Amino acid sequence: MCNCLNETLAEITEKITDILPRETDKSTLSVEYKNKLLRFDGKENNVMIGVSFDYYKIKKDTTRAKNKTKGNVNLAMSYCPFCGDKYP
């Protein structure tokens, strides 16, 4: 299995470290993927792609609701998004 996700996160951390202001305690920097999970199914890919959506509901009187309803779903990847290797 590839190590692309970890390598990419290390590169992102390095880039963020370079642009931080001088008066920052860089030892406290924490950079993580947003949609990370703990798997119990034996698969090793632990980062998911987050997809957000929103829409207007239709009220009983057939008019559109004033506020949007928002939600999100996460998609588990079968292939590495960087190198294309299939996850076990």
Side-chain angles (χ1 to χ4, degrees):
M1 183 170 146
C2 70
N3 195 27
C4 294
L5 290 172
N6 292 332
E7 291 170 3
T8 303
L9 192 62
E11 289 178 27
I12 292 168
T13 302
E14 188 177 315
K15 298 287 185 188
I16 291 171
T17 302
D18 292 344
I19 64 170
L20 289 175
R22 189 182 330 169
E23 56 277 348
T24 301
D25 181 2
K26 294 179 181 177
S27 68
T28 61
L29 176 65
S30 174
V31 180
E32 291 291 331
Y33 287 110
K34 201 170 191 180
N35 296 326
K36 196 169 181 180
L37 70 143
L38 176 63
R39 298 194 73 126
F40 294 105
D41 59 2
K43 295 184 180 179
E44 295 185 26
N45 57 326
N46 61 354
V47 176
M48 301 181 91
I49 299 172
V51 177
S52 61
F53 58 90
D54 57 49
Y55 58 92
Y56 290 101
K57 289 184 178 180
I58 301 297
K59 297 189 291 186
K60 289 182 181 181
D61 65 1
T62 68
T63 61
R64 190 173 82 179
K66 180 181 174 185
N67 297 322
K68 284 186 175 181
T69 300
K70 298 180 180 183
N72 60 50
V73 294
N74 293 313
L75 303 174
M77 296 176 277
S78 297
Y79 294 87
C80 174
F82 300 107
C83 70
D85 285 353
K86 185 165 176 59
Y87 288 125

